[in-house]
Amino acid sequence: IALVRARSKQAGVERIEKTATAIGWWSSIDVVEKEKLEVWTGDLSTPRLGLGSDQWEQLVGSVDAIIHNGAVVNWQADFETLRAANVSSTADLLSTITARNSRSKLVYVSGGIKLVDTQKNQSEVAAELSRGGTGYMQTKFLAESLVNNTAAHLAGRTSPSNGQQNRVSVVKPGVILGAGVEGAANVDDYLWRVVASAAAVNAYPSE
């Protein structure tokens, strides 16, 4: 199941196909695998991801695992502008994990600050970001904190005989680039905009 912001299910499938074709994945997927793809249209910035009640109940009771890799990336937008899509959507998905009849696991793909452990001292990082962080960094930090705090809560409820909790986890990759031979980079990403600007003016930042 893939959540796609689109006018219709068919438009959502076409959007996935266009992206997968551009990075060289679509042709390597056989017909049987493609037929397994189920598209749900929705929007991260709306309550319950914009899903209907039947879909939400299916998400809570029937879906085995959720990978939350969606966010609005805008380095100019403030916290309030990005909160619904980047924070509220994460809180909604966490509610499915903690629901009484839930069977899902959640993997949250984080971003924002990468050079330090933002979860070692949440209050210190929150204070620092409130003084100078971008809205994107603030919302990703808050969402990641929600996930980590939920994981800690679940770990506290796990008995020693059951081992560590494995229902909620965070993946925080470094800079994601397109492969050298196959794949494609996101040319709208800030890193490639800096590279393009440096090439255009024939200069680069000293740092």
Side-chain angles (χ1 to χ4, degrees), residues 151-167:
H153 175 70
L154 292 174
R157 291 166 45 188
T158 303
S159 65
S161 61
N162 292 332
Q164 296 181 335
Q165 75 84 23
N166 66 347
R167 296 192 60 204

Side-chain angles (χ1 to χ4, degrees), residues 24-202:
W25 290 353
W26 197 251
S27 60
S28 64
I29 305 174
D30 61 40
V31 175
V32 175
E33 293 299 317
K34 289 177 181 177
E35 290 178 347
K36 293 180 181 179
L37 176 64
E38 182 177 348
V39 169
W40 288 359
T41 59
D43 188 337
L44 292 179
S45 65
T46 58
R48 291 188 170 186
L49 317 184
L51 298 176
S53 57
D54 290 344
Q55 290 173 317
W56 189 257
E57 289 302 317
Q58 184 178 343
L59 187 64
V60 173
S62 303
V63 173
D64 294 318
I66 300 168
I67 300 175
H68 183 22
N69 190 32
V72 174
V73 182
N74 186 323
W75 296 98
Q76 303 301 318
D78 60 17
F79 176 86
E80 288 301 326
T81 301
L82 302 177
R83 178 169 60 175
N86 295 359
V87 181
S88 298
S89 65
T90 305
D92 282 344
L93 288 172
L94 286 170
S95 74
T96 70
I97 304 301
T98 56
R100 180 174 300 177
N101 62 329
S102 173
R103 56 181 289 180
S104 296
K105 295 181 180 181
L106 174 68
V107 177
Y108 176 72
V109 183
S110 188
I113 301 174
K114 300 180 183 295
L115 300 180
V116 297
D117 182 0
T118 58
Q119 298 303 306
K120 187 175 182 179
N121 190 325
Q122 291 179 352
S123 59
E124 183 177 307
V125 175
E128 184 67 26
L129 286 175
S130 68
R131 291 191 291 267
T134 65
Y136 176 71
M137 293 169 64
Q138 292 168 346
T139 54
K140 293 299 285 186
F141 163 72
L142 179 53
E144 183 180 341
S145 297
L146 290 175
V147 177
N148 273 293
N149 292 347
T150 300
H153 175 70
L154 292 174
R157 291 166 45 188
T158 303
S159 65
S161 61
N162 292 332
Q164 296 181 335
Q165 75 84 23
N166 66 347
R167 296 192 60 204
V168 178
S169 58
V170 174
V171 174
K172 196 166 187 178
V175 178
I176 299 174
L177 306 175
V181 178
E182 297 178 347
N186 178 11
V187 295
D188 288 328
D189 184 78
Y190 81 96
L191 175 63
W192 292 116
R193 286 181 178 269
V194 170
V195 171
S197 299
V201 300
N202 198 31

